[in-house]
Amino acid sequence: MRFGPFTLSTLLGSFALSWVLARFGQEVLGGDPRLLSDPDALIHVLKAKLAWLVIAAVLFLLAYVGVDLAGRRWRGTHGGG
């Protein structure tokens, strides 16, 4: 892979992952800092919010597959290899 597309895809991927992790942390902790000192409460909130993380992971998987298929189709029609 050439340097430009590699760098762009790496930056986009790291930004997406960082955003998901930051957003998940914000959703879990929200405005309740006591969760940092109460493991049982944190586990309860994590289980309640886990569905959000799973949905985000599925959406990113679908985006990855879509980009991969589009890239394969583009390379097929433009003779890239």
Side-chain angles (χ1 to χ4, degrees):
M1 181 181 254
R2 291 180 302 175
F3 182 73
F6 172 77
T7 302
L8 181 62
S9 61
T10 300
L11 287 172
L12 290 175
S14 64
F15 173 77
L17 181 60
S18 297
W19 182 83
V20 167
L21 293 175
R23 181 75 178 149
F24 184 69
Q26 180 184 15
E27 287 291 319
V28 169
L29 294 178
D32 196 1
R34 75 174 175 84
L35 293 175
L36 294 174
S37 61
D38 186 1
D40 291 330
L42 180 61
I43 289 172
H44 177 71
V45 172
L46 282 174
K47 286 181 180 178
K49 302 287 184 171
L50 190 58
W52 187 89
L53 183 63
V54 170
I55 290 169
V58 168
L59 289 175
F60 277 107
L61 176 64
L62 291 174
Y64 171 79
V65 169
V67 168
D68 185 51
L69 290 175
R72 289 173 192 238
R73 180 173 290 175
W74 186 82
R75 282 192 304 267
T77 59
H78 289 86

